[in-house]
Amino acid sequence: MANYSERDRFHDGAVTARIQVLAQAIEAKILVVDDDDLELALLSDWLSSCGLSVRQANNGAEALKCLAGEWFPVVLTDWQMPIMTGIELTEKLRARNVTDTFVIMLTVLDGDFDFERAYEAGVDDYLSKKRSRVELLARIHSAFATVRLRKALSDANARLTTLESARTNTPTINVGPP
């Protein structure tokens, strides 16, 4: 995050404004999971300054406890953590059929196998910790947009199910001759 230029400040402002607009339809909350206290504090403070409500967890197990009591549209997690890794956290979420939370893996691991392993576990997006602030904000923007679309699709499917159920449970009345 070195060399924070005027251009970066402009992009931060533009993307932050878009995140806030997108988040109006859903809660602008993000769970940040990292065992590095400094990284956790820096990311959380910065995301808070972008208008997001931020909650922190130091590992996957703490994150699961947070997620058991509160819904977060977006989880930003490190991979390598003690007690429970970001991969294990994601696998447990997906095993519990938690599909309405967008998981972004933020890690130093950047090999081809790492990408494949993360996506296989159910991660929605994958970023290197070497990324720029602008890129991270753009990915978070995309995450909120995706959650919003998933919610709209889920609502539409529920409405269609209700309509189909009402249609099939309604007796058919013959109006014409037998």
Side-chain angles (χ1 to χ4, degrees), residues 125-176:
D125 203 352
Y126 190 100
L127 275 170
S128 167
K129 284 192 174 183
K130 302 171 199 162
R131 86 296 173 222
S132 70
R133 283 183 167 194
V134 173
E135 182 178 5
L136 179 55
L137 271 179
R139 299 290 184 95
I140 291 170
H141 171 266
S142 175
F144 277 105
T146 301
V147 169
R148 187 175 172 190
L149 288 171
R150 286 177 182 169
K151 183 176 179 350
L153 180 60
S154 176
D155 292 349
N157 282 335
R159 179 75 177 130
L160 285 172
T161 299
T162 300
L163 290 171
E164 179 63 21
S165 176
R167 186 184 69 81
T168 57
N169 290 334
T170 306
T172 306
I173 301 173
N174 290 327
V175 201

Side-chain angles (χ1 to χ4, degrees), residues 94-124:
R94 299 314 185 214
R96 294 177 183 174
N97 204 27
V98 177
T99 57
D100 59 347
T101 294
F102 193 97
V103 178
I104 301 173
M105 183 68 64
L106 187 61
T107 182
V108 296
L109 301 175
D110 60 1
D112 289 344
F113 173 78
D114 303 319
F115 286 104
E116 291 175 26
R117 176 69 181 99
Y119 287 117
E120 180 183 291
V123 166
D124 295 294

Side-chain angles (χ1 to χ4, degrees), residues 69-102:
E70 185 177 357
W71 177 68
F72 290 86
V74 179
V75 172
L76 181 62
T77 185
D78 186 19
W79 182 322
Q80 298 173 309
M81 297 179 289
I83 303 173
M84 183 184 294
T85 68
I87 289 293
E88 293 167 330
L89 165 63
T90 304
E91 288 173 336
K92 288 185 184 298
L93 282 175
R94 299 314 185 214
R96 294 177 183 174
N97 204 27
V98 177
T99 57
D100 59 347
T101 294
F102 193 97

Side-chain angles (χ1 to χ4, degrees), residues 5-41:
S5 68
E6 180 70 26
R7 181 176 175 196
D8 291 334
R9 280 189 289 282
F10 170 78
H11 287 300
D12 275 5
V15 176
T16 298
R18 292 193 68 192
I19 288 172
Q20 290 170 345
V21 168
L22 277 172
Q24 288 175 356
I26 54 175
E27 294 181 74
K29 297 187 317 184
I30 188 166
L31 177 61
V32 180
V33 188
D34 201 313
D35 62 317
D36 181 326
D37 290 336
L38 180 59
E39 181 79 14
L40 188 61

